[in-house]
């Protein structure tokens, strides 16, 4: 009976080790399993340690880096970042998760390296940071992108998880299905690359959509354009992205708005407006001169939009 008892004891020891190992892993991916996540805040906690490790590796952190994290949740990504950088600035809107994060970091050697901003990141004044690494609430994706890209001084790069479709729009090229105003407005300010796809089961609770991680590297120095003018032009071009530009700019609402802007510009420059000017024809002549009158927005690249903006501005037509 002794060999049977020894075998049984060994199996029990192995089982106990496995249970202990599983409990350690479970603890490492979620220290706040008793927290009820608020879907109104887009709280889907990234629980897969392999995905977290991969995001941190892709960021290529330096020991001197200050890292901005948005929506740290229970701190799974935060803890990995703290191991690699000088400081993590974590922006969290939910006071319950702020308390959980502080509780998790306080007993560690990194407690002095965490700075928590409590509030809405879109409204908050962000401090200096070298990188942004985050699994963000997806409903703030678009305003957050431009808040980051217009932040000064420029950061080195961002590794951010987005909803899959949003990520595809960020990286889309002219002529592709997802190419849109977001693609153009982002790519004029940054180099954007799709890094990896993330399935919904890597989150707790699982979202309804799959996700993707994107690398965003601001163009430094940024292009010397008036971003409000740029966005005004791009917004018009993509208002009917399947139509030719000639047809879009002939629309009464758009033509009237641009004519009003033109007259305002002339007034500020003490220029007389010719009452006989056919403004729609004036616009079309500019489009023809740029060889873009019969083009559609979904096929234009950044140089096309830049040339069009310059051509309009040189003729006294502004978009903001």
């Amino acid at each position: 009976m002794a060999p049977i008892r020894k075998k049984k004891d060994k199996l029990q020891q192995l089982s106990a080790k496995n249970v202990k190992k599983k409990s350690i892993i479970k603890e490492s991916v979620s220290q706040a399993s008793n927290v009820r996540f608020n879907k109104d805040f887009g709280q889907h906690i990234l629980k897969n340690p392999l995905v977290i490790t991969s995001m941190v590796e892709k960021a290529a952190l330096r020991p001197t880096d200050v890292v901005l994290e948005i929506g740290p949740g229970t701190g799974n990504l935060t803890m990995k970042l703290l191991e690699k950088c000088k400081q993590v600035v974590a922006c969290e809107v939910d006071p319950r998760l702020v308390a959980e994060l502080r509780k998790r970091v306080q007993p560690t050697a990194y407690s002095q390296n965490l700075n928590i901003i409590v509030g809405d990141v879109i409204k908050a004044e962000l401090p200096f940071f070298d990188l942004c690494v985050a699994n963000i609430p997806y409903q703030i994706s678009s305003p957050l992108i431009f808040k980051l890209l217009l932040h000064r001084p420029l950061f080195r790069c961002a590794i951010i998880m987005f909803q899959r479709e949003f990520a595809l729009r960020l990286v889309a090229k002219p002529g592709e299905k997802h190419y849109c105003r977001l693609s153009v407005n982002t790519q004029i300010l940054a180099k954007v690359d799709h890094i990896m796809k993330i399935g919904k089961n890597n989150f707790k609770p699982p979202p309804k959509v799959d996700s993707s991680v994107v690398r965003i590297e601001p163009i430094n120095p940024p292009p010397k354009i008036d971003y409000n003018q740029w966005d005004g032009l791009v917004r018009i071009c993509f208002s009917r992205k399947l139509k030719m530009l000639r047809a879009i700019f002939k629309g009464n609402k758009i033509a009237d708005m641009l004519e009003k802007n033109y007259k305002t510009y002339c007034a500020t420059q003490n220029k007389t407006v010719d009452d006989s000017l056919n403004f729609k024809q004036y616009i079309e002549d500019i489009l023809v001169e740029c060889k873009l009158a019969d083009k559609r927005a979904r096929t234009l690249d950044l140089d096309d939009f830049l040339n069009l903006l310059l051509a309009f501005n040189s003729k006294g037509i502004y978009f903001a």
Side-chain angles (χ1 to χ4, degrees):
M1 294 294 292
I4 295 175
R5 185 178 292 111
K6 284 182 179 179
K7 188 173 181 180
K8 186 175 180 182
D9 291 343
K10 190 173 182 179
L11 288 171
Q12 288 176 339
Q13 289 174 0
L14 288 171
S15 177
K17 284 182 179 179
N18 286 335
V19 169
K20 185 177 180 182
K21 186 177 180 180
K22 286 180 180 178
S23 66
I24 291 172
I25 293 172
K26 187 175 181 181
E27 184 180 2
S28 70
V29 294
S30 181
Q31 293 280 343
S33 58
N34 59 330
V35 174
R36 295 189 66 179
F37 300 114
N38 188 336
K39 291 185 178 180
D40 291 340
F41 290 155
Q43 291 174 350
H44 298 280
I45 307 303
L46 182 58
K47 66 180 184 179
N48 187 334
L50 296 178
V51 175
I52 293 169
T53 299
S54 182
M55 288 181 67
V56 173
E57 288 175 351
K58 296 292 185 184
L61 297 176
R62 302 169 187 169
T64 56
D65 282 336
V66 175
V67 180
L68 175 68
E69 185 186 7
I70 298 145
T74 56
N76 298 333
L77 177 58
T78 315
M79 297 304 295
K80 288 292 184 182
L81 292 172
L82 285 168
E83 293 173 7
K84 299 285 186 179
C85 69
K86 177 183 177 181
Q87 184 185 52
V88 172
V89 178
C91 194
E92 175 58 62
V93 72
D94 189 340
R96 301 172 309 141
L97 293 182
V98 170
E100 291 293 338
L101 185 59
R102 283 184 173 141
K103 187 193 306 182
R104 183 170 182 177
V105 177
Q106 192 62 43
T108 73
Y110 306 114
S111 59
Q112 300 302 312
N113 303 95
L114 177 65
N115 174 21
I116 302 177
I117 298 174
V118 184
D120 184 345
V121 67
I122 303 302
K123 299 176 183 177
E125 184 174 343
L126 298 178
F128 166 83
F129 60 95
D130 296 289
L131 298 98
C132 176
V133 184
N135 165 34
I136 67 168
Y138 292 162
Q139 63 264 37
I140 66 168
S141 296
S142 188
L144 177 64
I145 282 285
F146 298 108
K147 183 179 179 73
L148 294 178
L149 290 176
L150 297 175
H151 181 267
R152 297 294 182 270
L154 287 171
F155 56 95
R156 191 164 75 245
C157 85
I159 305 294
I160 305 180
M161 191 174 301
F162 296 105
Q163 180 178 332
R164 175 76 51 78
E165 185 176 345
F166 186 89
L168 293 176
R169 289 163 59 200
L170 283 178
V171 303
K173 302 301 180 186
E176 294 181 352
K177 175 185 174 183
H178 292 92
Y179 190 63
C180 62
R181 177 178 158 228
L182 175 67
S183 318
V184 175
N185 279 348
T186 304
Q187 292 171 31
I188 192 65
L189 297 174
K191 180 184 177 185
V192 192
D193 296 299
H194 187 282
I195 293 178
M196 56 182 168
K197 299 177 181 178
I198 309 296
K200 60 187 75 173
N201 292 329
N202 290 285
F203 301 86
K204 178 183 179 181
K208 295 180 180 179
V209 295
D210 288 329
S211 305
S212 285
V213 177
V214 172
R215 185 179 191 275
I216 302 169
E217 182 181 345
I219 294 170
N220 194 7
K224 294 181 179 180
I225 59 170
D226 183 324
Y227 191 74
N228 289 328
Q229 292 289 328
W230 169 268
D231 182 52
L233 169 66
V234 174
R235 184 190 297 270
I236 290 173
C237 291
F238 277 98
S239 62
R240 296 287 187 274
K241 71 175 184 177
L242 298 180
K243 280 192 172 185
M244 293 180 181
L245 296 188
R246 185 196 306 272
I248 294 172
F249 281 89
K250 272 189 175 180
N252 290 334
K253 187 175 180 181
I254 290 173
D256 290 347
M257 178 193 71
L258 295 182
E259 184 173 10
K260 182 180 179 182
N261 290 354
Y262 173 73
K263 289 179 178 178
T264 301
Y265 166 78
C266 289
T268 60
Q269 301 297 313
N270 294 320
K271 291 185 177 181
T272 303
V273 178
D274 185 354
D275 291 335
S276 65
L277 177 65
N278 183 331
F279 196 75
K280 288 186 179 181
Q281 187 62 49
Y282 188 62
I283 292 175
E284 184 169 349
D285 289 343
I286 297 172
L287 293 171
V288 171
E289 186 178 336
C290 295
K291 299 180 181 179
L292 296 174
D294 296 324
K295 299 286 187 180
R296 293 173 173 82
R298 62 185 299 274
T299 67
L300 304 186
D301 60 20
L302 295 180
D303 286 340
D304 290 328
F305 284 110
L306 283 168
N307 290 334
L308 189 57
L309 180 62
L310 179 61
F312 273 123
N313 287 172
S314 68
K315 299 292 187 179
I317 298 178
Y318 291 86
F319 297 89

